[in-house]
Structures are given as structure tokens and as C-alpha cells.
Amino acid sequence: MSTATALVGLVLAVFGVRMLVTGRVPALLARSFRTPREAGLYHLLCGVAVLMFAVGTWLTDVAAMTAAVLSIGLVAVAGVWFRPGPHRRVSHTEHRD
């Protein structure tokens, strides 16, 4: 992996932190996520995963494998808990608490 890959991961993670701190999400992303928190956490976890994977390639074999496994785990968490998708439609019979 190159330094450019690590930079992409860092930029993605900072973008996620910015969304979490400000609560503002670009319009294109706001349509894909239910809340600004979900959008921010998704991008933060994916960015950290890319950064960890890229840095892991500069380390020894065991550390690189550990970084790769942890990166896959972070992406899995992001994909399951905070995955982008259409907003959940609430029927008229359901009540929000």
C-alpha cells in the first residue's frame, strides 16, 4: 500500500469526525443515512479501517495480519450497524416514542 492510501483513510476518518462534531451531513449523504451520527460513524470506521490496513502493510508479518483482520472487523461493524440505505418508512399505525 502506498502513502496515498493511508492519506485517503485519514481524510475519510476526519470527514466522519467532522460530521459527528458538527451534526452536518452533505445532502447526498443525508439521503443515504438515517441520522448524522450514523453517517459520521460509518465514515469514521471505514476511514480508520483503510488507514489501519495501509499502515499495517509497513509492519512485520504478524502485525500486518493483525491490522488486516482488525480492518475487516471495523468495516463489518460499519456495514452492519451504520450501513447506508433508504430511510425506514413509518406506517401510520406505528407510533414513535
Side-chain angles (χ1 to χ4, degrees), residues 1-2 6 11 13 17 19 24-25 28-30 34 36 38 40 44 51 54 59 65 79 83 93 97:
M1 288 285 156
S2 66
V11 168
V17 168
M19 285 189 280
R24 295 178 59 209
V25 179
L28 182 64
L29 292 177
R34 290 181 293 266
E38 286 186 4
L44 175 62
L51 182 60
L59 303 175
M65 183 62 71
R83 70 180 169 270
T93 59
D97 295 319

Side-chain angles (χ1 to χ4, degrees), residues 45 49 67-79:
L45 290 175
V69 169
L70 289 174
S71 296
I72 292 169
L74 283 177
V75 170
V77 167

Side-chain angles (χ1 to χ4, degrees), residues 32-43:
S32 297
F33 291 92
R34 290 181 293 266
T35 65
R37 180 181 173 273
E38 286 186 4
L41 285 172
Y42 180 84
H43 287 84

